[in-house]
Amino acid sequence: MHGAVAVVRLCRPAKRNALNDALIEALRDVFQNLPPEARAAVIHGEGQHFCAGLDLSELKERDAGQGMHHSRSWHVALNAVEQGPVPVVCALHGAVVGGGLELASASHIRVADESAFYALPEGTRGIFVGGGGSVRVPKLIGTARMTDMMLTGRVYDAQEGERVGFAQYLVPTGTALAKALELAQRIATNAPLTNFALTHALPRIAEQPADHGFLTEALMCAIAQAAPEAKARVRAFLDGKAAKVQKA
């Protein structure tokens, strides 16, 4: 814990933080059991890379049923990141590849430094994404770009990745974690119910027909503004005790 921010570090640097079953289970357990004082979280990778994807050295022979259940276990773990109790910021550097990109896409904000690069090599290795990438990655960059990446093995560098939507922030090499922590600490000061609405309601509204979305928005708006903390924050603004928005 860094104050109200839970910092989760991937610690397999010799394997470029490749995801094996133990690491996936650990991510699931961490995000399903965050300390109650956590108001935001940061994920980052030890060493020179964020995460180089599935640990192919541990890939086992599986029949179709076993493969399906293995993929579903990844879905449970990454859903715990995306749909957990707090907003999650990923600090990206070096390889953000395969399962590493699937993990990053499950976070809510991604900060990349200039060493980051993105790829989905599953297509050229005779396999398919299994950690939610076919659902989450197209929401970031579009289906056509993901198809291109998997068919051709295309690699995006940090600048291209920020342009197409893999990351919302691009910072100098070596500073992604510091920026991610800065953002998470700012997020942790928000009203918890507002953060919940942004991470749980907003993605669902985006998937709903407009008429359904408007109703969901109205319900969430009413719930959020009825919270005592929201009333106190609005009162502070009206009393001149809260800062106004200024041009950056």
Side-chain angles (χ1 to χ4, degrees):
M1 295 299 298
H2 286 229
V5 177
V7 179
V8 180
R9 185 172 68 251
L10 308 180
C11 298
R12 301 187 76 213
K15 289 280 192 175
R16 303 206 304 175
N17 294 320
L19 297 167
N20 61 2
D21 287 350
L23 191 49
I24 284 293
E25 290 169 5
L27 280 166
R28 178 199 66 201
D29 292 345
V30 164
F31 280 94
Q32 287 181 344
N33 298 282
L34 286 173
E37 64 270 23
R39 301 279 290 268
V42 168
I43 304 174
H44 71 110
E46 184 177 322
Q48 297 181 350
H49 301 279
F50 172 70
C51 178
L54 173 66
D55 189 341
L56 293 177
S57 69
E58 298 187 10
L59 189 64
K60 300 174 182 177
E61 292 289 339
R62 300 185 182 94
D63 63 26
Q66 291 168 331
M68 181 189 67
H69 290 301
H70 184 259
S71 173
R72 294 296 285 159
S73 72
W74 278 54
H75 294 164
V76 171
L78 299 194
N79 283 349
V81 175
E82 182 182 31
Q83 299 173 11
V86 301
V88 180
V89 183
C90 262
L92 307 176
H93 71 294
V96 188
V97 171
L101 180 52
E102 291 183 292
L103 171 58
S105 69
S107 66
H108 305 101
I109 294 179
R110 289 161 299 282
V111 179
D113 79 14
E114 292 175 344
S115 72
F117 59 95
Y118 309 88
L120 291 168
E122 289 88 346
T124 59
R125 291 177 181 154
I127 57 178
F128 193 71
V129 289
S134 62
V135 173
R136 294 188 178 100
V137 174
K139 292 179 180 178
L140 301 181
I141 65 169
T143 302
R145 282 198 175 98
M146 180 175 178
T147 303
D148 173 38
M149 291 177 74
M150 293 194 69
L151 286 175
T152 68
R154 180 175 183 173
V155 178
Y156 282 87
D157 65 22
Q159 290 75 22
E160 293 172 323
E162 190 267 343
R163 176 178 58 83
V164 301
F166 284 124
Q168 293 104 313
Y169 295 84
L170 180 61
V171 296
T173 298
T175 66
L177 177 57
K179 180 64 174 179
L181 282 168
E182 174 196 327
L183 292 171
Q185 287 162 351
R186 187 183 310 167
I187 290 165
T189 67
N190 293 341
L193 197 53
T194 298
N195 281 348
F196 180 86
L198 290 169
T199 57
H200 286 259
L202 182 59
R204 289 171 168 84
I205 292 170
E207 296 291 325
Q208 291 177 331
D211 187 53
H212 295 189
F214 291 142
L215 179 59
T216 305
E217 177 187 85
L219 293 171
M220 200 67 247
C221 173
I223 292 168
Q225 71 186 21
E229 183 170 348
K231 293 183 181 298
R233 288 172 181 246
V234 171
R235 191 177 305 113
F237 178 81
L238 294 174
D239 290 345
K241 297 177 182 177
K244 295 182 178 180
V245 176
Q246 302 289 338
K247 184 178 179 180

